[in-house]
Amino acid sequence: MESTPLAASVPPTALPDDLYCNFPATVVSHIVTSSIFRELPEPDVQILASGGLRIPAHSGILASISPVLEQLIDRPRKKRSAMKVISIVGVPSDAVVSFVRFLYSSRCTVEHLEKHGIHLLALSHVYMVPQLKAMCTKDLAQRLTIESVVDVLQLARLCNASDLYLKCMKFVADHFKFVEKTEGWQFIQDHDPWLELDILKFIDDTESRKQRNRRIRKERKLYLELHEAMECLEHICSEGCTIVGPYNVEPKKERGPCSHYSTCHGLQLLIKHFATCKKRTNGLGCGRCKRMWQLLKLHSSICDHSECCKVPLCRKFKQRSSPDDGNKRKDDAQWKMLVRKVVSAKAMSSLSLSNMKMPDVEEERAIRPRRIGSFRLQSGRRQR
């Protein structure tokens, strides 16, 4: 890709009529007539492509679009009278024609991008035409396939196309089982081990990030369910629900289910078991009773009005003093962290639920299993 003097013998060519955008073209044995450029001066540069194709052009237009072409045009010539020739070889001549057409019109059709997208990306990078480079990267990112993604990835790295490079990496990570069977992957393993290492590292990082996000979503869902259980506990102890209510208020049989019925119903079953469990009265306790103790303690840690709270033992948990024990202080720190996460999960969920449609929220509540986080609630038939 360099500037050379015009050769003595030039093979005849046939250029497309729309090469110079709106200017009609009449080419006869590589000689350009004056009708081609009715509004432009005579061409003073020729672009030599593969196969001996010569494309007449104007140095002013080329220099205004590409700083690299401007340097080639301004390079001194051996013969002042000879027309400058800029060699653009190494890519198909049709791709060079599409490249020149873009320099004149600033447009590139979908057909040309589909046919010469890879070559146009290389040309736009070498000759520093950012508008064409952006068009090529966007089009190539939409046309990635199992067979072509490795080649596009290598080109994107060479052309510093970071967006296209990242999309190729994600495509390889999502379809690696199929990509590793292609010839392009075999070529990378044999000739570019550093790129292979980058791809494998990206896949490992992607999988680690997915696992971390799944764990965070799972924990957030648990904290949200715990906060929902706290709301249900206050609702049951202050107003009563279908089967459990305050000691001085009789549960109404005609009362309909509340908005958090699945959680509320399971919590009522747990309260009924807690009130009648024989192991708890003997001082031993059972697993379900211990869960109830934990829920009551969690409510006390969150409650801001313990003086008038109707939830049992709320004030006593507030007044209990912790002994000066190292292990106890460590447990208290973990408990305080749990309380903070439960409160923050509710705040974050309120923001996310505001962006969800109400039918989606109701559907999520309908399909939610009857449990409180890790506290699995048994049905009434399995109660003692």
Side-chain angles (χ1 to χ4, degrees):
M1 302 178 185
E2 57 183 0
S3 175
T4 58
L6 181 64
S9 176
V10 181
T13 78
L15 298 176
D17 293 338
D18 62 341
L19 176 61
Y20 303 98
C21 192
N22 297 325
F23 298 99
T26 303
V27 181
V28 181
S29 298
H30 80 278
I31 299 176
V32 183
T33 63
S34 59
S35 62
I36 298 181
F37 309 102
R38 291 183 301 178
E39 301 180 13
L40 293 174
E42 291 292 330
D44 54 352
V45 176
Q46 284 192 348
I47 297 177
L48 177 62
S50 302
L53 177 65
R54 293 180 180 271
I55 306 173
H58 299 82
S59 59
I61 294 178
L62 301 184
S64 64
I65 303 298
S66 169
V68 177
L69 291 175
E70 182 182 10
Q71 293 181 2
L72 295 176
I73 292 170
D74 294 341
R75 185 178 298 176
R77 292 171 289 179
K78 295 181 180 179
K79 297 182 180 180
R80 294 280 180 180
S81 60
M83 180 181 290
K84 269 205 169 180
V85 177
I86 300 177
S87 298
I88 303 181
V89 294
V91 296
S93 57
D94 292 343
V96 179
V97 172
S98 299
F99 178 66
V100 175
R101 180 186 290 109
F102 180 85
L103 297 180
Y104 275 84
S105 64
S106 296
R107 292 192 298 269
C108 191
T109 63
V110 177
E111 179 183 358
H112 292 155
L113 286 174
E114 182 178 0
K115 188 176 181 180
H116 307 296
I118 291 181
H119 303 104
L120 289 176
L121 175 59
L123 291 173
S124 63
H125 174 70
V126 171
Y127 292 102
M128 299 178 66
V129 186
Q131 185 178 359
L132 178 59
K133 185 175 181 179
M135 294 176 61
C136 293
T137 54
K138 182 178 179 180
D139 182 78
L140 289 173
Q142 297 174 351
R143 301 180 187 276
L144 292 176
T145 62
I146 298 296
E147 297 295 333
S148 66
V149 64
V150 175
D151 296 332
V152 177
L153 176 62
Q154 291 177 290
L155 181 62
R157 185 180 62 164
L158 294 175
C159 296
N160 295 328
S162 57
D163 292 342
L164 181 59
Y165 181 82
L166 180 59
K167 290 183 178 180
C168 290
M169 281 289 201
K170 291 181 178 179
F171 189 93
V172 173
D174 294 338
H175 306 84
F176 183 70
K177 291 183 179 180
F178 302 98
V179 174
E180 65 177 347
K181 300 178 182 179
T182 61
E183 295 181 359
W185 181 256
Q186 298 297 328
F187 178 85
I188 286 181
Q189 287 184 314
D190 296 337
H191 300 88
D192 198 344
W194 289 109
L195 179 58
E196 179 189 7
L197 181 63
D198 290 341
I199 294 174
L200 295 178
K201 186 176 183 300
F202 180 86
I203 294 175
D204 183 68
D205 293 342
T206 301
E207 186 61 28
S208 300
R209 185 163 53 252
K210 288 181 179 179
Q211 293 178 0
R212 184 171 61 254
N213 292 337
R214 285 194 295 265
R215 185 177 65 254
I216 292 175
R217 286 194 297 268
K218 185 178 180 181
E219 292 177 354
R220 188 173 300 169
K221 182 180 179 181
L222 170 62
Y223 299 140
L224 179 59
E225 290 174 347
L226 285 172
H227 196 286
E228 187 176 293
M230 297 299 99
E231 293 180 343
C232 292
L233 185 60
E234 291 186 13
H235 159 66
I236 294 171
C237 296
S238 59
E239 303 174 3
C241 198
T242 54
I243 59 177
V244 178
Y247 70 93
N248 56 350
V249 177
E250 290 292 333
K252 298 181 181 179
K253 296 182 178 180
E254 63 274 12
R255 182 191 296 273
C258 59
S259 58
H260 305 297
Y261 176 72
S262 59
T263 303
C264 194
H265 180 72
L267 187 57
Q268 291 178 84
L269 298 177
L270 188 61
I271 293 174
K272 290 185 67 176
H273 169 81
F274 182 76
T276 58
C277 181
K278 295 181 180 180
K279 291 185 178 180
R280 184 179 68 84
T281 57
N282 295 332
L284 299 176
C286 65
R288 299 180 67 189
C289 293
K290 292 179 180 178
R291 295 175 193 137
M292 191 64 213
W293 278 111
Q294 291 174 347
L295 290 176
L296 293 172
K297 181 181 178 181
L298 180 59
H299 163 78
S300 176
S301 302
I302 297 175
C303 183
D304 295 328
H305 48 276
S306 58
E307 295 297 331
C308 58
C309 183
K310 296 183 179 181
V311 177
L313 305 178
C314 180
R315 188 183 304 178
K316 291 186 177 181
F317 277 115
K318 287 281 189 181
Q319 296 175 350
R320 177 180 296 180
S321 58
S322 58
D324 297 334
D325 185 9
N327 295 331
K328 188 63 177 179
R329 287 196 300 269
K330 182 178 180 181
D331 294 340
D332 289 343
Q334 294 177 351
W335 183 263
K336 291 180 181 179
M337 182 179 297
L338 172 64
V339 172
R340 287 196 302 268
K341 289 185 176 180
V342 170
V343 175
S344 62
K346 177 59 179 178
M348 296 180 63
S349 67
S350 61
L351 296 177
S352 61
L353 289 177
S354 61
N355 298 326
M356 294 175 59
K357 297 180 179 179
M358 290 307 299
D360 297 337
V361 178
E362 296 298 333
E363 181 181 358
E364 181 183 354
R365 289 173 177 172
I367 63 177
R368 185 176 296 174
R370 294 185 177 183
R371 59 189 181 90
I372 305 174
S374 61
F375 305 106
R376 299 187 177 273
L377 304 180
Q378 303 176 5
S379 62
R381 291 177 300 179
R382 299 176 61 183
Q383 252 187 343
R384 295 182 182 179

